Amino acid sequence: GNSVTQMEGPVTLSEEAFLTINCTYTATGYPSLFWYVQYPGEGLQLLLKATKADDKGSNKGFEATYRKETTSFHLEKGSVQVSDSAVYFCAEGTYKYIFGTGTRLKVLA
Amino acid sequence: DAGVIQSPRHEVTEMGQEVTLRCKPISGHDYLFWYRQTMMRGLELLIYFNNNVPIDDSGMPEDRFSAKMPNASFSTLKIQPSEPRDSAVYFCASSFSAGSTYEQYFGPGTRLTVT
């Protein structure tokens, strides 16, 4: 079956550091790709999405580009804040998603 | 819109008891998903419905688990009898198929503790 692989966490960064969380998928064709964020004690929230090759999803300073040639959708942010501390999930699919295992991010002041 | 609503938010019960978790999807959404999240197994899809019909329940761990969707605005996940290993956070999510990406919207979750 299809799978989504994320980099192992936790990732610990200082405030204003550059963030990259890697994500690769195995599905063939052109699935939609997503990043979700989960803050402590809450449900998952859609952070950004991309639906076709070379699309760039962006929201709240986060970006990710749909790379068909490398089957990747890496999450980036130029300057993280303490409030970005959360668990980030990569997912692919249409009506049914395949989620990655999640990457915990901790940002220190 | 109020978003996906789940109740209760927290449930503590004793082993052997019946537990019922409830979900109200976003109005107009035609897909509904039940997930379970634990530290050991991460986020697991248990079952999903389309237009109130169960499509895939292959993720339901065993016969103790059952889910229903009697109408477009309500779904339940029942565990009978409950066991300590069922302790987890259970999420409900819904989506709308007419959109191009089927974005799933998650509820706040129900934290279940079975003692």
Side-chain angles (χ1 to χ4, degrees):
Chain A
N2 295 332
S3 64
V4 173
T5 302
Q6 292 182 231
M7 62 189 292
E8 290 285 328
V11 174
T12 303
L13 297 173
S14 298
E15 204 165 28
E16 299 184 3
F18 184 84
L19 168 71
T20 298
I21 300 178
N22 292 337
C23 170
T24 57
Y25 64 93
T26 60
T28 58
Y30 293 86
S32 294
L33 302 175
F34 308 87
W35 277 101
Y36 279 78
V37 59
Q38 184 180 28
Y39 299 103
E42 298 183 12
L44 280 71
Q45 303 174 26
L46 179 64
L47 180 60
L48 53 83
K49 64 183 181 185
T51 59
K52 58 183 185 293
D54 301 323
D55 258 3
K56 177 183 284 187
S58 62
N59 186 26
K60 299 180 181 179
F62 291 89
E63 293 183 340
T65 301
Y66 192 141
R67 300 291 188 196
K68 179 65 175 172
E69 64 276 14
T70 55
T71 61
S72 66
F73 193 55
H74 304 322
L75 182 68
E76 296 181 336
K77 187 174 185 182
S79 176
V80 294
Q81 305 300 311
V82 173
S83 57
D84 294 327
S85 298
V87 181
Y88 293 81
F89 291 89
C90 184
E92 66 87 2
T94 52
Y95 56 88
K96 175 182 172 182
Y97 292 178
I98 304 296
F99 279 94
T101 54
T103 301
R104 184 175 299 277
L105 170 66
K106 184 173 183 179
V107 181
L108 305 176
Chain B
D1 200 312
V4 176
I5 299 172
Q6 292 187 248
S7 65
R9 291 295 310 276
H10 302 273
E11 178 78 36
V12 180
T13 191
E14 292 183 349
M15 182 174 61
Q17 296 299 306
E18 178 180 294
V19 175
T20 299
L21 311 182
R22 297 172 176 78
C23 174
K24 176 179 170 56
I26 292 173
S27 177
H29 282 192
D30 54 350
Y31 277 89
L32 184 139
F33 305 83
W34 282 101
Y35 292 91
R36 178 172 69 175
Q37 186 178 41
T38 61
M39 289 294 292
M40 291 298 295
R41 302 174 69 92
L43 192 64
E44 303 172 275
L45 175 63
L46 301 178
I47 185 172
Y48 73 93
F49 296 82
N50 178 224
N51 291 322
N52 314 337
V53 176
I55 303 301
D56 184 355
D57 65 354
S58 60
M60 297 285 260
E62 47 199 278
D63 292 346
R64 297 185 297 107
F65 286 69
S66 62
K68 294 182 179 180
M69 193 166 185
N71 57 62
S73 59
F74 184 65
S75 177
T76 59
L77 178 67
K78 186 177 294 187
I79 308 172
Q80 167 62 17
S82 58
E83 296 183 4
R85 59 193 168 120
D86 301 330
S87 298
V89 181
Y90 291 81
F91 290 104
C92 177
S94 68
S95 67
F96 181 47
S97 63
S100 62
T101 55
Y102 298 79
E103 297 169 17
Q104 290 188 22
Y105 294 83
F106 281 73
T110 295
R111 181 173 295 277
L112 173 65
T113 302
V114 183
T115 61

